[in-house]
């Protein structure tokens, strides 16, 4: 049974097509720097935004029209959504998906029943994965929506909640393992605080580290070899999220001896909320060897919250793919569209327009980034810019083989000989030229 009647498999038709249900840039088998586009991009569907997000906002109920949801039986509805999800992914040529435990299945009367329902839905997912060859990029836990998580999960002031959240992660790890997931994400949810007047920050951070160590231990126990990720975010829902940005997370992982077990999942809109560019967060991870995966979306410069929009900004896509290529490409990770249609885009077909827009933007971004790298545009400029560190006193600084006294002698003898222009505007114009083609 088809749910998206009248929509065929989305094909690559090239830049001159007038068909809005076609790709202009995403040609999955096209080779770019020795790898097919689909291997580079590893596009993934976010289950939550695509199947369960209804367009609710603080001022109004959901607006999304989803004809397949029209049943009172929540378990039947969840099973149908799995079928819808796989038809959607097949039609778009998406080879991966990501989910929270609570996206795929409704909660039962208690945790035991909830887990049993989850297993029932995972049976259907497993069958669909076998039928289509679509894979799980990562699984995760929703330990933030239910009122029991009002004070957080791993950082809750209440030990019962800590245990409950741990049990939920235990189960989510089991199903991720069963579905051969390539990774498992910890996004902070409500791991943060509103006021220090009632918060023991040290205790909460210690507990969060314990929570993560326990997850790593359990993964070993069950033989789950997927990659663990932390997804930084500075604020929302709490005023101050503990995983503020990539640098904060790195410091935390290092302090609590978790660096061997975790990489980062960088989300564009979280980067900008933290006052960074998307590229900055990716570059920081790349430089520190922890670039794992990407949640592709974009925010709105005029809004101070996580709008999770479909990424259509070509500059960001180019610069993000540039960082991914510099890092040597994805291994376990991929590009998960943690992005949703606007509330007024309420028809099922809007989901297609949205994913096509995001996939085409990143496909074009990949091609431009590859060309920039192949031509050495920025890398050659940077080589030249830092050339003074290749010989003489610069080489000694790089090798850690100098002293303040020697540097003083150098400064007294030579002063500062020549400082070159940074040529920012010229470089930005070259970037434009590569984008325009
Ligand atoms: C929230 C967010 C989450 C994580 C997974 O801002 O990005 O959807 O990606 O929990
Ligand atoms: Co995300």
């Amino acid at each position: 049974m088809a749910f998206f009647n009248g929509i065929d498999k989305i094909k690559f038709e090239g830049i001159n097509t007038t068909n809005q249900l076609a790709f202009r840039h995403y040609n999955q088998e096209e080779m770019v720097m020795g790898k097919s586009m689909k291997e580079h991009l590893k596009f993934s569907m976010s289950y939550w935004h695509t199947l369960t997000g209804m367009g609710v906002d603080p001022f109004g109920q959901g607006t999304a029209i989803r004809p397949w949801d029209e049943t009172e039986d929540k378990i039947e509805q969840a099973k149908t959504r799995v079928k819808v999800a796989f038809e959607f992914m097949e039609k778009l040529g998406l080879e991966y998906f990501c989910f929270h435990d609570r996206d795929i299945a409704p909660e039962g009367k208690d945790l035991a029943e909830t887990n049993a329902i989850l297993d029932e839905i995972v049976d259907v997912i497993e069958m669909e994965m076998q039928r289509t060859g679509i894979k799980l990029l990562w699984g995760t836990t929703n330990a933030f929506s239910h009122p029991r998580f009002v004070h957080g999960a791993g950082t809750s002031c209440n030990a019962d909640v800590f245990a409950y959240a741990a049990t939920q992660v235990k189960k989510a790890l089991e199903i991720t393992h069963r579905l051969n997931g390539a990774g498992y994400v910890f996004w902070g949810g409500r791991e943060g605080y509103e006021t220090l007047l009632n918060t023991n920050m040290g205790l909460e951070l210690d507990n969060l580290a314990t929570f993560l160590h326990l997850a790593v231990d359990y993964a070993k126990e069950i033989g789950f070899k997927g990659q663990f990720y932390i997804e930084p975010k500075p604020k929302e829902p709490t005023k101050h999220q503990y995983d503020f940005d990539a640098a904060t997370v790195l410091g935390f992982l290092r302090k609590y001896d978790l660096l061997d077990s975790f990489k980062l999942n960088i989300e564009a809109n979280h980067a900008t909320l933290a006052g960074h560019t998307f590229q900055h967060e990716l570059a920081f991870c790349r430089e520190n060897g922890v670039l794992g995966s990407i949640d592709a979306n974009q925010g709105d410069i005029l809004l101070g919250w996580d709008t999770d929009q479909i990424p259509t900004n070509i500059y960001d896509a180019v610069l993000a793919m540039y960082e991914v290529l510099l890092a040597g490409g994805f291994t376990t990770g991929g590009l998960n569209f943690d992005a949703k249609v606007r509330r007024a885009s309420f028809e099922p077909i809007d989901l297609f327009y949205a994913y096509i827009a995001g996939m085409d933007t990143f496909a074009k971004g990949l091609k431009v980034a590859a060309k920039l790298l192949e031509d050495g545009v920025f890398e050659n400029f940077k080589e030249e810019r830092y050339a003074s560190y290749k010989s003489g006193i610069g080489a000694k600084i790089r090798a850690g083989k100098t002293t303040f006294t020697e540097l003083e002698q150098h400064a007294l003898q030579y002063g500062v000989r020549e400082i070159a222009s940074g040529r920012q505007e010229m470089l930005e114009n070259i970037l434009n030229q590569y984008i325009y083609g």
Side-chain angles (χ1 to χ4, degrees):
M1 174 178 167
F3 298 95
F4 299 101
N5 286 311
I7 300 176
D8 295 329
K9 193 162 167 42
I10 307 301
K11 295 194 205 68
F12 169 73
E13 293 184 9
I15 51 168
N16 294 323
T17 186
T18 53
N19 180 5
Q20 294 307 326
L21 288 170
F23 294 119
R24 285 166 176 71
H25 300 285
Y26 184 52
N27 185 8
Q28 46 175 27
E29 300 303 337
E30 187 179 322
M31 299 299 281
V32 176
M33 290 179 95
K35 243 168 46 176
S36 70
M37 290 184 101
K38 70 172 184 187
E39 283 174 280
H40 274 290
L41 293 160
K42 295 179 68 184
F43 286 136
S44 160
M45 181 197 78
S46 61
Y47 208 96
W48 53 104
H49 286 314
T50 315
L51 277 305
T52 58
M54 291 295 144
V56 177
D57 79 4
F59 302 93
Q61 65 200 47
T63 53
I65 298 169
R66 302 289 182 254
W68 52 82
D69 270 349
E70 276 163 22
T71 158
E72 291 301 306
D73 183 334
K74 291 284 165 208
I75 298 180
E76 275 319 301
Q77 183 189 69
K79 287 182 181 168
T80 305
R81 282 177 176 175
V82 174
K83 301 275 168 64
V84 175
F86 279 81
E87 183 189 325
F88 182 71
M89 289 187 274
E90 275 188 289
K91 287 191 164 164
L92 277 159
L94 290 161
E95 296 198 307
Y96 297 87
F97 67 109
C98 300
F99 65 75
H100 302 80
D101 47 4
R102 301 296 174 255
D103 305 333
I104 57 174
E107 291 199 50
K109 66 176 184 314
D110 55 27
L111 196 47
E113 190 181 282
T114 299
N115 285 348
I117 299 171
L118 207 43
D119 286 334
E120 212 181 315
I121 307 302
V122 169
D123 287 343
V124 187
I125 294 183
E126 194 170 40
M127 268 166 9
E128 287 293 285
M129 287 174 74
Q130 273 159 12
R131 182 181 68 75
T132 59
I134 290 169
K135 298 180 275 290
L136 177 60
L137 189 67
W138 49 259
T140 189
T141 315
N142 179 333
F144 44 87
S145 292
H146 193 280
R148 71 176 68 89
F149 299 116
V150 61
H151 300 304
T155 64
S156 174
C157 49
N158 182 315
D160 286 346
V161 176
F162 184 102
Y164 196 104
T167 311
Q168 215 180 304
V169 171
K170 177 176 177 289
K171 181 69 183 173
L173 274 172
E174 288 162 9
I175 60 177
T176 301
H177 183 41
R178 178 178 160 198
L179 297 175
N180 218 3
Y184 189 89
V185 162
F186 286 90
W187 163 59
R190 292 180 196 274
E191 316 291 33
Y193 66 84
E194 296 299 322
T195 171
L196 287 173
L197 298 181
N198 65 13
T199 301
N200 184 339
M201 192 201 287
L203 181 147
E204 293 198 0
L205 285 167
D206 288 351
N207 278 0
L208 183 57
T210 301
F211 195 93
L212 297 175
H213 272 293
L214 291 171
V216 171
D217 290 348
Y218 190 65
K220 286 202 185 107
E221 200 178 315
I222 61 174
F224 174 64
K225 302 235 162 42
Q227 176 65 51
F228 278 112
Y229 307 104
I230 305 259
E231 182 178 319
K233 185 174 184 181
K235 54 187 165 188
E236 201 203 12
T238 72
K239 182 170 89 173
H240 190 113
Q241 299 277 120
Y242 287 131
D243 297 330
F244 192 93
D245 62 0
T248 309
V249 169
L250 195 74
F252 171 86
L253 293 174
R254 194 167 278 143
K255 174 176 176 191
Y256 289 103
D257 199 20
L258 284 158
L259 251 186
D260 288 346
S261 310
F262 284 83
K263 286 191 173 161
L264 271 63
N265 181 39
I266 295 298
E267 177 162 327
N269 203 167
H270 296 181
T272 49
L273 284 176
H276 301 303
T277 61
F278 186 19
Q279 188 188 14
H280 167 89
E281 287 292 82
L282 294 171
F284 182 86
C285 289
R286 173 176 60 72
E287 295 288 359
N288 288 284
V290 292
L291 179 52
S293 202
I294 286 182
D295 269 8
N297 62 16
Q298 70 188 33
D300 184 310
I301 48 163
L302 301 182
L303 302 176
W305 63 90
D306 196 11
T307 58
D308 282 344
Q309 284 166 235
I310 300 294
T312 52
N313 183 315
I314 186 63
Y315 286 91
D316 284 344
V318 169
L319 298 175
M321 289 318 297
Y322 190 78
E323 290 300 326
V324 171
L325 290 177
L326 271 185
F330 292 120
T331 51
T332 52
L335 263 169
N336 172 49
F337 287 103
D338 192 353
K340 60 187 176 203
V341 289
R342 296 304 86 192
R343 196 164 177 269
S345 306
F346 45 72
E347 293 181 7
I349 199 170
D350 289 310
L351 294 170
F352 279 88
Y353 291 136
Y355 272 81
I356 291 169
M359 291 163 81
D360 254 353
T361 303
F362 270 88
K364 172 77 178 168
L366 168 68
K367 286 190 285 187
V368 174
K371 189 93 180 69
L372 283 163
L373 257 184
E374 276 167 350
D375 294 353
V377 175
F378 303 131
E379 296 317 298
N380 290 347
F381 188 87
K382 286 190 241 174
E383 270 299 297
E384 192 55 34
R385 188 162 183 242
Y386 295 91
S388 65
Y389 287 96
K390 284 207 181 118
S391 58
I393 195 70
K396 282 190 164 180
I397 294 171
R398 294 292 291 154
K401 290 204 170 112
T402 188
T403 61
F404 260 20
T405 306
E406 188 185 22
L407 291 168
E408 181 187 48
Q409 280 161 7
H410 181 90
L412 289 172
Q413 186 174 353
Y414 298 109
V416 172
R417 286 168 286 185
E418 196 192 343
I419 303 183
S421 163
R423 300 257 186 273
Q424 180 171 336
E425 297 75 12
M426 180 194 82
L427 293 169
E428 287 170 348
N429 196 27
I430 296 177
L431 174 59
N432 279 352
Q433 289 155 26
Y434 272 74
I435 291 173
Y436 298 151

